[in-house]
Amino acid sequence: TAAPEQVAVQLDALSFSYPGQPQQALDNITLSISAGEHVAILGRTGCGKSTLLQLLTRAWDPQHGEIRLNDQPMRDFSEPVLRSLISMVPQRVHLFSATLRDNLLLAAPHASDEQLTAMLMRVGLEKLLDDSGLNAWLGEGGRQLSGGELRRLAIARALLHDAPLVLLDEPTEGLDASTESQILELLAEVMKGKTLLMVTHRLRGLSRCDRIIVMDNGQIIEQGNHAAL
Ligand code: ATP
Ligand code: MG
């Protein structure tokens, strides 16, 4: 079956604990996100934000409750369809010991060199092209990236993938204010019409989200729009 072009997300009484852990990382989360909605997720360290995004990529299965995409249980989707529906910038980005081109093609195997180069410019990583262009070797035996460069590389990957549901785990962590503004500007432009869940500790960018969710101890303790909170 063809992948849908827009994705609504329903979490229904979702609870999850990691294997061997007595306490619940997610405790009875119910949440309905409409297609195209932009949601920010806030909360102090360890409250379950990354876990929530992980479950949305089916990295783990919940012990209770379920996740539905467009009213269909997530477990009914095949791996390839799920992959085509979801783009993710994880909290810990992985750099492969490979060329810059291959590090990007991972997310978008059919992208042309022109598209890859254009995306690098948009996330402010054109500097990486200086020595050997897209053939620059990254990772072991090559160029290491700073934390901020790594995050922008992951954002470039996620945007090249161009999926209707985008999960961003602290996308602007470690970026200076002006680079952060540039990235938030870019996200606002390319996320139009896509469903977005963005975990963040930063207050900048929240006013652009339709809804802000505050978590504590695996639960949603508050939600509303920027003006209300
Ligand atoms: P931060 O803001 O620091 O990134 P977070 O809100 O993303 O925090 P999570 O990473 O979701 O928090 O972690 C929620 C809880 O689950 C924490 O108590 C954490 O220690 C625990 N946890 C996370 N990953 C694992 C794992 N792989 N195995 C066991 N426990 C885990
Ligand atoms: Mg986290």
Side-chain angles (χ1 to χ4, degrees), residues 18 21 25 43-51 60 91 170 201:
Y18 285 98
Q21 298 287 330
R44 58 183 174 191
T45 179
C47 70
K49 305 181 296 296
S50 296
T51 303
W60 301 93
Q91 193 163 11
E170 314 216 14
H201 281 291

Side-chain angles (χ1 to χ4, degrees), residues 85-147:
L85 288 180
I86 302 175
S87 266
M88 164 106 159
V89 171
Q91 193 163 11
R92 285 175 204 83
V93 176
H94 190 70
L95 183 66
F96 294 89
S97 298
T99 61
L100 177 55
R101 179 187 290 104
D102 285 344
N103 265 283
L104 291 168
L105 284 181
L106 192 82
H110 305 297
S112 66
D113 279 5
E114 288 69 27
Q115 287 171 311
L116 300 183
T117 302
M119 184 56 75
L120 287 170
M121 314 261 259
R122 295 185 83 183
V123 299
L125 285 180
E126 57 274 13
K127 201 179 77 179
L128 296 184
L129 294 163
D130 278 357
D131 294 332
S132 332
L134 289 165
N135 294 321
W137 191 264
L138 303 183
E140 221 170 301
R143 182 177 188 146
Q144 297 297 328
L145 300 187
S146 72

